[in-house]
């Protein structure tokens, strides 16, 4: 996209001026690292007058050239962000959505830039942080107050009454679509099918709620990022994803995301939600987390191998699959 | 030729220059990419020495052929295994299931020796 190019920059400035109904100056554009599925740019603007008057530090989020199955486009992500914001979830304030391809070629949206870091390797090196764990649990519980009856989220489709079995069907279909033969992942999928629980509740699930997608500033949560996988599901799926060993960045003794204690998270979630977590089901969803991440990692590597998006980061993601398969086999066992 | 100690081959030496001499000179916003390059070089070196990650060794395929009682070549035998797993043929807690688990775990360990050998060292559940 190249926001640093003068022509692109002036198109973007004209767009922001139109939606803000004011003269606008772009003072800074800088590509942000991360985001294998979309491009993120830091964008600083000064709006001269009107309801947006003042200096704004924003993030511009745009679809990448190729997509991962089940990853939502920027329009859906924008409306999810708005719904979460309205439910009191700590997220970057969504500003404007642009679906006009004449502006930057692909849809994008603007949101306020949060302070802090999301870098998992850095965050998990810190001491156990009970305050952060509490904030993460409370915010996840708030996400789970959003129900399929909520207006404005019709694009999420109909909720499956059996999310676990639906996930098994989906991941098999993704593997087939890639022509990927991964017996260890299939072993995990057979176990997941055999042991699928019935879901007591169907709510909005973030589906990528984990260390690395959570901005932390001065030891506190500043916001939850990356809503592109969100959808209706079993809220325990999000808890299992957050707890899964593959998202602890090596800090395995801190089972809650490599940041703190599992029990602290459970207690804070239950206090906020007013409901008890069925702990017997969490291990099931941790297996699901490893199977899902392994499937996505295969997809990302396939994007690289196909030549559609040649990238060292995507190529290396394929080399994460063996450790995920190893964990799947360890968790599901021989019997 | 690949040095069996892995210390003098070209990729290994180049990687050490990158990590030990160049990394500190690389701007902070490019360090992550430099570390990815070093990691890719390490993996490529291990693939050269131990075999490619995505090429299963003959004994793995032979084990699957024996388990399934078939003669199909790879990748057909793997496709048959996946079909059986999806049909629930390994759901019962049997010796066959235990054997499959052992074969898959062994293959996962082989791949980890190439992709991330330190992972096995850090795992205390084995």
């Amino acid at each position: 996209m190249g926001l640093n190019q003068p022509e692109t920059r002036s198109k973007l400035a004209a767009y922001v001026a139109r939606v803000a109904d004011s003269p606008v100056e772009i003072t800074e554009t800088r590509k942000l690292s991360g985001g294998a599925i979309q491009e993120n740019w830091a964008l600083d603007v000064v709006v001269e007058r009107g309801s947006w008057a003042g200096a704004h530090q924003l993030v511009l989020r745009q679809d990448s050239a190729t997509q991962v199955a089940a990853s939502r486009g920027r329009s859906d992500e924008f409306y999810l962000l708005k719904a979460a914001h309205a439910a009191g979830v700590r997220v970057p304030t969504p500003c404007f959505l642009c679906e006009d391809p004449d502006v930057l070629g692909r849809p994008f949206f603007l949101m306020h830039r949060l302070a802090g870091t999301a870098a998992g390797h850095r965050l998990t090196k810190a001491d156990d942080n009970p305050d952060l764990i509490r904030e993460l649990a409370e915010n996840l519980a708030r996400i789970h107050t959003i129900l399929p009856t909520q207006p404005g989220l019709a694009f999420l489709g109909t909720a499956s009454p059996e999310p676990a079995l639906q996930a098994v069907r989906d991941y098999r279909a993704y593997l087939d679509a890639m022509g990927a033969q991964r017996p260890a992942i299939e072993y995990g999928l057979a176990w997941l099918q055999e042991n699928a629980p019935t879901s007591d509740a169907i709510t909005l699930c973030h589906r990528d709620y984990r260390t690395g997608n959570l901005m932390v500033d001065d030891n506190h949560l500043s916001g939850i990022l990356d809503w592109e996988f969100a959808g209706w599901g079993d809220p325990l799926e999000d808890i299992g994803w957050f707890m899964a060993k593959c998202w602890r960045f090596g800090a395995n003794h801190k089972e809650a995301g490599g940041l703190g204690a599992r029990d602290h998270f459970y207690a804070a979630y239950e206090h906020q939600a007013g409901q008890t977590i069925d702990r017997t089901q969490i291990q099931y969803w941790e297996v699901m987390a490893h199977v899902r991440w392994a499937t996505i990692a295969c997809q990302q590597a396939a994007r690289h191998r196909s030549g559609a998006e040649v990238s060292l980061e995507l190529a290396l993601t394929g080399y994460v699959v063996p450790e995920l398969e190893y964990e799947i086999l360890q968790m599901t066992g021989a019997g | 030729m690949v040095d069996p100690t892995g210390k003098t081959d070209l990729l290994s030496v180049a990687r050490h220059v990158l990590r030990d001499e160049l990394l500190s000179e690389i701007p902070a916003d490019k360090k992550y990419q430099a570390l990815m390059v070093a990691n890719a070089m390490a993996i490529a070196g291990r693939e050269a020495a131990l075999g490619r990650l995505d090429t299963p060794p003959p004994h793995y395929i032979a084990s699957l052929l024996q388990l399934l009682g078939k003669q199909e070549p790879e990748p057909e035998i793997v496709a048959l295994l996946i079909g059986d797993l999806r049909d629930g043929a390994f759901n019962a807690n049997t010796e066959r299931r235990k054997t499959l688990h052992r074969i898959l775990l062994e293959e996962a360990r082989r791949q980890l020796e190439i992709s991330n050998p330190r992972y096995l060292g850090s795992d205390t559940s084995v």
Side-chain angles (χ1 to χ4, degrees):
Chain A
M1 174 177 65
L3 274 194
N4 293 325
Q5 292 165 9
E7 190 190 347
T8 310
R9 209 169 149 131
S10 74
K11 275 187 176 175
L12 181 62
Y15 165 77
V16 180
R18 193 163 71 245
V19 291
D21 194 20
S22 160
V24 162
E25 184 191 357
I26 294 178
T27 54
E28 168 85 15
T29 54
R30 175 170 43 90
K31 191 168 183 185
L32 297 170
S33 60
I37 297 166
Q38 71 290 309
E39 282 183 23
N40 295 318
W41 289 76
L43 175 74
D44 292 354
V45 300
V46 178
V47 178
E48 199 173 297
R49 58 175 181 262
S51 56
W52 289 90
H56 297 277
Q57 294 186 318
L58 305 174
V59 169
L60 185 151
R61 233 166 121 74
Q62 185 177 40
D63 292 339
S64 70
T66 58
Q67 290 292 292
V68 162
S71 166
R72 300 193 174 281
R74 298 292 73 79
S75 164
D76 291 1
E77 196 181 12
F78 180 77
Y79 289 112
L80 281 161
L81 213 49
K82 287 190 86 160
H85 192 253
V89 181
R90 223 172 279 180
V91 290
T93 308
C95 304
F96 304 114
L97 168 70
C98 176
E99 296 183 277
D100 179 357
D102 287 344
V103 179
L104 294 181
R106 296 194 291 272
F108 67 91
F109 68 80
L110 299 173
M111 61 185 186
H112 274 126
R113 196 157 77 238
L114 300 172
T117 180
H121 287 104
R122 206 173 309 162
L123 292 171
T124 52
K125 282 199 178 81
D127 292 338
D128 191 332
N129 184 342
D131 285 345
L132 178 60
I133 290 295
R134 178 180 47 76
E135 291 165 359
L136 289 168
E138 288 169 353
N139 276 273
L140 187 58
R142 287 191 190 104
I143 293 172
H144 294 160
T145 63
I146 301 173
L147 302 177
T149 48
Q150 166 123 349
L153 296 177
F155 59 86
L156 292 177
T158 311
S160 167
E162 42 183 30
L165 290 174
Q166 186 60 47
V168 169
R169 288 191 287 270
D170 288 346
Y171 302 154
R172 284 177 176 157
Y174 297 157
L175 291 165
D176 288 345
M178 288 180 274
Q181 292 189 322
R182 306 294 316 198
I185 300 177
E186 298 282 352
Y187 189 95
L189 282 164
W191 186 91
L192 289 167
Q193 180 170 342
E194 196 183 356
N195 294 283
T198 52
S199 292
D200 295 334
I202 302 292
T203 69
L204 185 69
C205 290
H206 180 280
R207 286 225 171 90
D208 206 4
Y209 199 92
R210 51 127 180 132
T211 305
N213 285 335
L214 312 158
M215 283 290 273
V216 177
D217 186 38
D218 197 20
N219 295 319
H220 290 277
L221 176 69
S222 56
I224 296 148
L225 308 174
D226 289 346
W227 289 76
E228 64 208 24
F229 289 108
W232 305 125
D234 187 321
L236 297 182
E237 180 183 352
D238 273 341
I239 297 175
W241 187 255
F242 182 73
M243 298 290 168
K245 185 177 172 185
C246 55
W247 294 123
R248 295 180 201 154
F249 292 84
N252 291 330
H253 59 293
K254 294 183 281 184
E255 294 186 350
L259 302 169
R262 187 186 283 268
D263 286 345
H264 285 157
F265 187 95
Y266 289 161
Y269 182 97
E270 288 173 338
H271 185 258
Q272 178 68 34
Q275 284 176 357
T276 308
I277 293 170
D278 182 352
R279 286 157 172 74
T280 63
Q281 287 194 23
I282 299 297
Q283 201 230 348
Y284 175 90
W285 290 103
E286 289 182 35
V287 174
M288 182 72 87
H290 283 81
V291 166
R292 177 165 170 248
W293 177 210
T295 306
I296 294 172
C298 288
Q299 287 176 322
Q300 296 200 351
R303 281 164 69 203
H304 164 76
R305 277 199 308 272
S306 72
E309 193 166 347
V310 175
S311 148
L312 179 57
E313 187 170 21
L314 293 180
L316 285 173
T317 303
Y319 287 88
V320 174
V321 176
E323 51 201 78
L324 299 168
E325 292 182 327
Y326 178 79
E327 289 302 330
I328 290 165
L329 292 167
Q330 290 289 358
M331 284 190 286
T332 54
Chain B
M1 200 177 92
V2 175
D3 166 19
T5 68
K7 288 180 181 165
T8 62
D9 69 85
L10 196 56
L11 269 173
S12 179
V13 172
R15 181 170 176 272
H16 281 290
V17 171
L18 174 62
R19 284 197 68 109
D20 301 341
E21 297 177 32
L22 300 180
L23 196 61
S24 59
E25 308 295 322
I26 291 173
D29 65 331
K30 299 286 182 196
K31 274 206 166 58
Y32 178 61
Q33 283 162 285
L35 287 170
M36 283 199 298
V37 171
N39 189 23
M41 292 167 80
I43 291 171
R46 290 194 294 269
E47 282 199 313
L50 302 172
R52 284 184 59 84
L53 189 79
D54 55 7
T55 305
H59 66 81
Y60 168 71
I61 297 300
S63 299
L64 292 184
L65 288 170
Q66 190 179 4
L67 179 70
L68 299 183
K70 304 278 185 187
Q71 292 300 322
E72 277 77 357
E74 202 242 339
E76 282 81 0
I77 190 67
V78 180
L80 281 174
L81 169 64
I82 288 170
D84 281 358
L85 280 164
R86 291 187 184 185
D87 290 342
F90 287 93
N91 284 6
N93 186 9
T94 59
E95 279 306 313
R96 244 178 124 241
R97 177 171 173 151
K98 286 190 175 75
T99 303
L100 175 61
H101 187 266
R102 181 183 51 72
I103 294 168
L104 296 179
L105 200 55
E106 192 179 320
E107 173 59 8
R109 286 199 178 104
R110 180 195 73 86
Q111 294 189 21
L112 270 172
E113 289 292 346
I114 297 166
S115 64
N116 185 4
R118 279 189 306 181
Y119 191 85
L120 288 170
S122 67
D123 183 24
T124 53
S125 67
V126 186

